[in-house]
Amino acid sequence: MNQIDPTQYASWNEMAKTIALVAWAISILIALYHVVKLATMGDAKSKYDYINRMEIKTLWLASIVLIVGCCFWANSNIVELNALWIFVRGFVTFAMGMIVALIIQNLLKFYYPFFIEKRLKVLRYKPRVSPKTGKAMKLLSEEEEDAYLDEGMQAEEDVFSIDYDVWKDEETGYVKIERYSGHLHALQCPECNYQTFKVVREEILKAPSLDQEGELLKHYQCGYCGYKAKKTVTLRTSQKFEESSAATA
């Protein structure tokens, strides 16, 4: 009977462990970089934009690198190997890695946005500090901010493609205008309750005039279950908008 030499695959085992440790270290560094970058951002709007644009992507990248490290670690204890074992180990490692990656992807896509949305709301409405006086500025109402938005900006808000927040230092008159996507963030789907209900299309049914209101039809669709709904919105020239009906399938 042939004796198995436990040191036969020592080089591979050592290399696999090293790759796993390096991958884990990189994964941790990616996450730490994200945390440190956020901590060093003083402006709430900059934090808002960075979280909105990069947080899920960064966590997904860190997760993939972490999973790769786990796959190498799981194959760092080889004492016997042949063609069948190579196939079995490769298949099982790939399958388990894909399952874990799919679970994490679903968590980041369907559950994590609830957490992000709460943080973004806090950042968006956190009082801004005037660089002139160092005091808190006032967030103007929809009617008040029109005086500081040009016609193009108001038109963007009227069709909900862009939303503007106007902060004003009432002591010095300093004004800060912040730009946000009008329907970038998904809502909670009334059918499946995931945060995947988004505006996919808008159409103006009737343009507003000085003496007559207009109508805008917003088409929603859930990115998870496919549920669709429509909402009619009243457009006015003197006011921003007034939602006139609830979503209907």
Side-chain angles (χ1 to χ4, degrees):
M1 184 175 181
N2 295 331
Q3 294 291 326
I4 297 175
D5 182 4
T7 64
Q8 184 177 0
Y9 301 102
S11 297
W12 161 259
N13 292 337
E14 193 64 31
M15 182 181 69
K17 288 180 180 179
T18 301
I19 293 175
L21 293 174
V22 170
W24 291 342
I26 292 174
S27 177
I28 293 172
L29 287 174
I30 291 173
L32 283 177
Y33 171 79
H34 177 71
V35 172
V36 171
K37 189 173 180 65
L38 276 178
T40 55
M41 286 182 176
D43 183 58
K45 180 62 166 64
S46 298
K47 287 185 178 181
Y48 181 101
D49 291 337
Y50 183 73
I51 291 173
N52 188 40
R53 187 179 69 255
M54 295 300 299
E55 182 149 305
I56 289 180
K57 293 179 181 178
T58 301
L59 292 178
W60 173 239
L61 177 60
S63 299
I64 290 298
V65 177
L66 182 68
I67 292 171
V68 170
C70 291
C71 290
F72 274 97
W73 186 267
N75 289 280
S76 65
N77 59 346
I78 295 176
V79 294
E80 182 181 3
L81 199 63
N82 53 43
L84 179 61
W85 267 111
I86 291 175
F87 173 78
V88 171
R89 277 185 172 272
F91 177 79
V92 172
T93 300
F94 177 78
M96 293 302 296
M98 288 296 294
I99 290 172
V100 174
L102 185 61
I103 292 173
I104 294 175
Q105 184 185 49
N106 284 333
L107 289 174
L108 291 175
K109 185 176 182 180
F110 300 121
Y111 290 99
Y112 196 70
F114 284 98
F115 175 64
I116 282 187
E117 194 68 27
K118 292 179 181 178
R119 291 166 60 204
L120 291 180
K121 285 181 179 179
V122 171
L123 287 171
R124 179 169 179 175
Y125 299 112
K126 178 182 178 181
R128 304 301 191 252
V129 177
S130 171
K132 304 291 185 181
T133 62
K135 297 179 181 179
M137 301 169 68
K138 176 188 176 184
L139 177 61
L140 301 185
S141 67
E142 296 289 338
E143 290 74 23
E144 292 173 325
E145 70 182 27
D146 279 349
Y148 302 93
L149 302 178
D150 60 33
E151 291 184 1
M153 291 177 174
Q154 293 184 45
E156 287 179 319
E157 285 205 324
D158 286 341
V159 295
F160 307 98
S161 62
I162 299 295
D163 192 19
Y164 291 94
D165 286 350
V166 180
W167 296 84
K168 183 179 180 181
D169 181 349
E170 295 186 297
E171 185 175 325
T172 64
Y174 172 79
V175 171
K176 181 179 183 181
I177 300 176
E178 295 180 349
R179 187 176 189 267
Y180 297 89
S181 178
H183 49 72
L184 176 64
H185 302 122
L187 305 173
Q188 184 172 343
C189 176
E191 188 71 17
C192 66
N193 293 322
Y194 287 124
Q195 195 93 357
T196 50
F197 199 50
K198 281 189 175 184
V199 174
V200 293
R201 185 165 60 91
E202 294 174 339
E203 56 180 310
I204 297 178
L205 302 179
K206 184 170 66 175
S209 62
L210 292 176
D211 56 354
Q212 195 172 24
E213 297 175 345
E215 285 188 353
L216 176 75
L217 183 63
K218 302 170 74 173
H219 297 261
Y220 291 84
Q221 184 171 352
C222 177
Y224 179 72
C225 69
Y227 175 77
K228 297 179 180 180
K230 299 176 183 178
K231 180 184 290 185
T232 302
V233 176
T234 298
L235 296 177
R236 296 181 179 180
T237 55
S238 58
Q239 297 180 1
K240 283 295 177 64
F241 64 89
E242 178 181 312
E243 295 193 4
S244 60
S245 66
T248 56

